[in-house]
Amino acid sequence: RKALALTQANPDDLDMWRLLADCEAATQDYTAAAQHYRKAKATDRQARRIIALSRGAASLATSFRGNADFQQIELIAKVRMPVSGTVQVAVQAQKTISSVAQTQPSSAAGDIVEIETSIKLAPRLQADFSGATWLDESITGGKARLIYGDTQASIYVHIARNLPDLTFANQARLGGYLHQWGAGGKLQLSSTMQVHAEYARRVYGIARQSAGTTDLLAGGATLLVLRKPQLTLAYQFDAEYVKRLANLPPALALPLGNRENHSLLAYWNAAVGPLAITSGLGWTLDRYGGNGPNASVAMNLPLGYHWQLAANGGLSSISRTGFPQSQGFARVSVVRALGGFE
């Protein structure tokens, strides 16, 4: 917001347009960033990468999350394209492989295709729509979200109906889905501190039957302590409370339970040449039992103007739906920008 005000006050200052473009690139608003890089007559490597991304991107990714009892692997292909200056469309194909390592080991795979559309209705108002189909189970649903605000302050509301859901092992085998509605927001209190909060009501389903209802609460605060090297401290709250549990046969019953995670985390960002590295350490306490460490590392490496390689991994003790214990995680992705520099 401040960068935009500076450009309006100094419309002939190329440095102000460059500052605005850098801010927009940081929030992944590549269309606006590319427009303002051109306005600033920027031709450096960073500007060319963002201009190339503004015309769309194709990506391949694989991820893993699991512990001794339950593991999931995802393979994802995605293409994002701008239809106009205010409309973005993305198509994603995903295969999820779920494995249970218990007395009767088993595995299941699900193929999901999703289409997303983002529409900029006004400078501070955006609508997102998505539809997803689980090909193996003929489960089709959709989600809509309305966002008002900017990087300084924003609020949103969303609703989802019949979305494919593979959170639990028996959902992956028998066809899981969810309904959800909620709201949230974030606020930049100062140049160094941001807070956020969100609430959602979720209904889990399996084999075309409602299995349980929960309330989800999340929130937290981040504080930038140092700029060079960049050090950020964070408090994170993540909870889910069971409101209703259906009386289903054992094969269909979902292992829903209360969880309330309180985490203190520290993140350190550094750059080694073009390689950006983010490391994280912290500790989590669950009020309903269990605590442990969190550790992660993420790397992002641009390869020329069009390619980008990213990887992250670590250990999390933040209990999640489907993962009530500590779990390991990893993700690798490669992105190819579809545009040129004109």
Side-chain angles (χ1 to χ4, degrees):
R1 191 185 300 175
K2 291 180 180 179
L4 179 59
L6 287 171
T7 57
Q8 292 172 342
N10 304 276
D12 297 324
D13 190 332
L14 298 185
D15 290 337
M16 294 300 100
W17 289 108
R18 173 63 194 238
L19 175 63
L20 177 60
D22 287 342
C23 293
E24 291 164 334
T27 61
Q28 298 185 354
D29 187 354
Y30 299 132
T31 301
Q35 177 185 349
H36 294 135
Y37 278 129
R38 293 189 183 99
K39 188 90 172 179
K41 299 181 180 179
T43 58
D44 59 281
R45 186 177 294 271
Q46 162 74 2
R48 289 190 172 195
R49 286 184 189 136
I50 299 303
I51 291 171
L53 282 170
S54 71
R55 300 298 180 87
S59 64
L60 292 173
T62 181
S63 66
F64 165 85
R65 182 175 292 275
N67 52 33
D69 298 324
F70 184 43
Q71 304 89 37
Q72 282 191 328
I73 296 174
E74 292 183 339
L75 306 172
I76 302 169
K78 184 174 184 177
V79 177
R80 173 188 58 81
M81 293 284 291
V83 177
S84 67
T86 59
V87 179
Q88 297 265 344
V89 174
V91 179
Q92 175 176 296
Q94 172 182 319
K95 176 180 280 292
T96 301
I97 303 170
S98 305
S99 301
V100 179
Q102 297 174 342
T103 54
Q104 294 182 331
S106 62
S107 63
D111 298 316
I112 296 173
V113 176
E114 184 173 355
I115 299 177
E116 306 169 359
T117 302
S118 295
I119 306 173
K120 200 84 168 179
L121 301 174
R124 301 183 66 190
L125 184 63
Q126 178 175 314
D128 297 337
F129 303 96
S130 64
T133 296
W134 186 348
L135 301 178
D136 315 77
E137 299 291 339
S138 299
I139 294 174
T140 299
K143 180 178 180 180
R145 183 172 65 162
L146 191 66
I147 310 162
Y148 177 79
D150 52 29
T151 57
Q152 302 296 310
S154 64
I155 57 174
Y156 72 85
V157 294
H158 76 269
I159 185 169
R161 294 288 297 175
N162 214 53
L163 278 182
D165 184 32
L166 291 81
T167 299
F168 297 100
N170 50 351
Q171 282 186 307
R173 295 195 312 272
L174 302 173
Y177 63 92
L178 64 82
H179 310 312
Q180 182 171 302
W181 60 266
K186 65 179 181 180
L187 176 63
Q188 190 81 32
L189 297 177
S190 69
S191 61
T192 60
M193 189 172 187
Q194 184 182 88
V195 295
H196 70 277
E198 56 184 310
Y199 163 80
R201 168 63 61 93
R202 178 178 292 177
V203 178
Y204 293 92
I206 182 172
R208 308 190 188 284
Q209 300 181 65
S210 175
T213 302
T214 65
D215 284 338
L216 293 93
L217 290 172
T222 60
L223 177 65
L224 179 62
V225 179
L226 294 174
R227 293 189 182 275
K228 289 188 178 181
Q230 189 177 95
L231 175 64
T232 303
L233 300 180
Y235 164 72
Q236 182 175 318
F237 174 81
D238 184 76
E240 185 171 18
Y241 307 103
V242 178
K243 312 307 288 185
R244 183 189 66 84
L245 199 58
N247 185 18
L248 297 177
L252 299 179
L254 301 185
L256 290 169
N258 294 331
R259 57 187 179 88
E260 186 181 300
N261 299 288
H262 300 265
S263 304
L264 291 176
L265 306 162
Y267 296 99
W268 174 73
N269 295 319
V272 181
L275 178 65
I277 304 173
T278 300
S279 302
L281 287 173
W283 190 266
T284 294
L285 174 65
D286 188 339
R287 188 167 72 88
Y288 290 95
N291 59 77
N294 298 286
S296 64
V297 61
M299 294 175 285
N300 193 304
L301 179 64
L303 301 172
Y305 296 122
H306 289 90
W307 293 91
Q308 182 172 289
L309 179 65
N312 67 73
L315 171 71
S316 175
S317 295
I318 301 174
S319 60
R320 302 169 187 269
T321 308
F323 292 97
Q325 304 170 359
S326 296
Q327 70 270 184
F329 63 91
R331 178 183 171 90
V332 177
S333 66
V334 59
V335 180
R336 209 286 185 183
L338 300 180
F341 316 127
E342 68 280 356

